[in-house]
Amino acid sequence: LAQLYAASAQPREADREYRAAARAASIGKVDYRYARFLASQNRMDEAVRAHERSRDSEPGNLQNLIALSDAYLAVRRDADAEEVYRAMTERYRGPFGRLRAIPELTDWEIGEAYVGLGEAALARDNLAVAERTLREGVGILAEFWRQRTLEIAVIRVRPETRKRSADRY
């Protein structure tokens, strides 16, 4: 219901329903969707808190982690965004990255995390780290791009996700 209200340009009603949903089901997906709504309303501090609650509930939700990093950057908490990126890339190098839910698809969010780390290194003029992490990110995004025509990708990857990953690549 909250999403319908949001799509119908009824933000007060949407906010009320998102809050009711969060009280009824304290799960990561509810907090993630509420956070996305809050960000669309330019309520970034609240969006950060909702994304953090989602991360606490579902620490492996890559979409939320990227959105949390975006929210941190929007409120100028660059070090926090970098820490999220770092945690994502460390998990990717471990069992979490080797045992993916859909092994046929590369997780574009990990490529995004590497690009975020590379951009942070560039901001600090650490060119060696920037080059290494940007190359890693571009490699992952390139693999995701090559997979874009697979039937599983066509079914599972939303157009806005495809566009964002292509823009970053």
Side-chain angles (χ1 to χ4, degrees):
L1 187 57
Q3 289 181 289
L4 290 174
Y5 280 134
S8 302
Q10 298 179 59
R12 268 186 265 139
E13 292 80 0
D15 189 79
R16 183 186 68 238
E17 292 300 327
Y18 275 117
R19 288 177 189 269
R23 283 190 305 274
S26 183
I27 59 174
K29 188 164 194 149
V30 171
D31 288 320
Y32 169 74
R33 286 186 176 173
Y34 186 36
R36 299 294 294 194
F37 166 76
L38 292 167
S40 76
Q41 299 298 302
N42 204 28
R43 295 164 55 188
M44 294 311 295
D45 288 324
E46 293 172 85
V48 164
R49 289 190 297 276
H51 279 302
E52 289 171 337
R53 285 191 306 273
S54 180
R55 177 191 56 194
D56 293 344
S57 297
E58 296 179 13
N61 183 328
L62 298 176
Q63 289 178 344
N64 181 64
L65 293 174
I66 288 298
L68 173 59
S69 297
D70 290 345
Y72 279 148
L73 293 172
V75 297
R76 300 187 180 271
R77 290 176 57 182
D78 297 9
D80 290 324
E82 188 174 352
E83 183 52 39
V84 171
Y85 294 143
R86 186 173 281 94
M88 290 174 70
T89 59
E90 287 171 3
R91 289 184 76 194
Y92 177 72
R93 290 188 289 257
F96 179 85
R98 288 191 298 273
L99 302 171
R100 296 191 310 260
I102 303 174
E104 297 84 7
L105 282 182
T106 298
D107 296 317
W108 72 273
E109 296 93 344
I110 301 300
E112 178 83 8
Y114 276 106
V115 169
L117 287 174
E119 290 173 341
L122 278 175
R124 288 191 302 276
D125 290 326
N126 189 340
L127 300 182
V129 171
E131 180 181 6
R132 185 178 68 248
T133 55
L134 287 169
R135 282 186 188 279
E136 185 75 24
V138 167
I140 292 169
L141 291 171
E143 181 62 27
F144 180 78
W145 185 248
R146 282 189 292 277
Q147 296 170 344
R148 74 190 182 282
T149 58
L150 294 176
E151 192 169 331
I152 189 77
V154 172
I155 293 168
R156 293 195 46 93
V157 179
R158 295 188 318 256
E160 62 271 16
T161 299
R162 188 174 289 112
K163 180 178 180 349
R164 177 177 174 155
S165 63
D167 289 347
R168 293 298 275 173
Y169 173 51

